[in-house]
Amino acid sequence: MSEERRRELGESDAPLEHDLQESFERTVGQGAERLHRTMRNILVTGVFGGFEVGLGIMAYLATLHETGNHLLAGLAFSMGLIALLLAHSELFTENFLMPVAAVAAKEASYTQLAKLWGGTLVSNLLGGWIFVWIVMVAFPEWSMVVSESAHHFVDAPFSLQSIALAVLGGSTITLMSRMQQGTDNDVARIVATVIGGFLLAALPLFHSILDSLLIFAAIHSGADISYVQWLGWFGYTLLFNVLGGIILVTLLRLVRTKELIQKRRTEAPTDPDAARNP
């Protein structure tokens, strides 16, 4: 058997399909593009990401206020993630699979990954904080609904159940990003986004950005919730979102494409910044 044919079939009993290779190239390419953005661009796209998730929060609260149905409200929330997808903004928890794959392929550095994560996280929270303040000023009648929703999170004890909800929150949105990267069909990508948004908001899973905006909205409305309570919930939720997204989805994906990663690593320059800044 020729070397070329062996590589087509792969070293294992599972061939590296053409579609898998295309998806891998798209994932690494988009991850590298995100990682090589300037801090200004990271912050601006992150703020807009907070606005767009806030749009989903507005749809969620409106539906929950009118119907009292959490499943319908969760479906309405997906509007925010659709806006995020179509506007090409950034959400912190979307940045697990693509940037990590780019770093693994030596297309970028760990420093760039830390810059992307830190800048996106802070700007998502800032943009969302501003947007939900405007929402609660515009719709004060939603105060009771948003207070009940926020208390669901800040009153939850740190327990195995809370950890599991946070792990599922991180893995769900990372898998949503993976499904979006697996197709060029815009309708299919929107369907994947609706699935992810529904699962996150309707169940509801613990999500560090989405649920923080609900808590901020409750604080703006005068609910008996403090930023200290939010921070206590946010700390462990953020940690287990990251672990869920990286361990349950990203690492398994990297293992599945290890031959492609090794090939990219041998072709990559020693200094990832040198390729972008000759």
Side-chain angles (χ1 to χ4, degrees), residues 8-263:
E8 288 178 357
L9 294 176
E11 294 181 338
S12 68
D13 57 351
L16 291 172
E17 303 90 344
H18 179 68
D19 288 348
L20 180 67
Q21 182 166 355
E22 284 190 343
S23 176
F24 171 80
E25 296 293 340
R26 190 183 304 119
T27 296
V28 171
Q30 292 196 15
E33 186 275 328
R34 293 183 181 190
L35 287 164
H36 286 277
R37 288 176 180 171
T38 64
M39 179 58 80
R40 176 176 60 86
N41 287 339
I42 289 172
L43 294 176
V44 170
T45 54
V47 167
F48 280 121
F51 288 171
E52 283 140 18
V53 173
L55 187 71
I57 294 292
M58 184 168 65
Y60 175 89
L61 293 175
T63 305
L64 191 58
H65 176 74
E66 293 297 328
T67 68
N69 189 309
H70 286 274
L71 297 180
L72 288 177
L75 190 61
F77 168 75
S78 62
M79 294 170 58
L81 295 186
I82 293 172
L84 190 78
L85 171 69
L86 298 181
H88 301 287
S89 299
E90 296 284 352
L91 183 63
F92 169 71
T93 47
E94 284 188 308
N95 281 321
F96 295 153
L97 175 60
M98 289 176 282
V100 171
V103 171
K106 289 190 174 181
E107 294 285 332
S109 67
Y110 288 103
T111 300
Q112 290 170 308
L113 180 63
K115 181 181 74 172
L116 176 67
W117 280 358
T120 304
L121 176 63
V122 171
S123 54
N124 279 170
L125 293 172
L126 176 61
W129 187 92
I130 294 170
F131 191 89
V132 295
W133 175 78
I134 298 171
V135 168
M136 295 315 299
V137 170
F139 301 100
E141 64 270 23
W142 296 349
S143 296
M144 184 165 294
V145 167
V146 74
S147 177
E148 292 175 356
S149 297
H151 272 289
H152 171 77
F153 302 104
V154 297
D155 292 346
F158 179 64
S159 63
L160 187 59
Q161 181 183 17
S162 296
I163 291 172
L165 288 169
V167 167
L168 288 172
S171 63
T172 296
I173 199 159
T174 306
L175 181 58
M176 181 193 77
S177 298
R178 165 69 193 99
M179 290 190 292
Q180 291 170 345
Q181 291 302 309
T183 179
D184 290 323
N185 187 297
D186 287 338
V187 174
R189 296 174 73 195
I190 289 174
V191 169
T193 304
V194 171
I195 292 170
F198 173 78
L199 292 174
L200 282 170
L203 293 184
L205 303 178
F206 282 15
H207 186 272
S208 52
I209 304 299
L210 157 60
D211 302 327
S212 287
L213 300 199
L214 277 172
I215 296 169
F216 292 162
I219 293 173
H220 291 322
S221 71
D224 58 338
I225 298 173
S226 69
Y227 286 105
V228 173
Q229 288 176 287
W230 161 73
L231 194 59
W233 171 87
F234 177 77
Y236 75 80
T237 300
L238 176 65
L239 172 63
F240 289 106
N241 278 172
V242 173
L243 293 178
I246 291 179
I247 294 176
L248 294 187
V249 180
T250 301
L251 288 183
L252 293 177
R253 187 65 180 170
L254 295 182
V255 169
R256 179 68 181 90
T257 56
K258 69 182 181 72
E259 185 179 71
L260 298 175
I261 292 172
Q262 289 169 351
K263 180 180 178 182

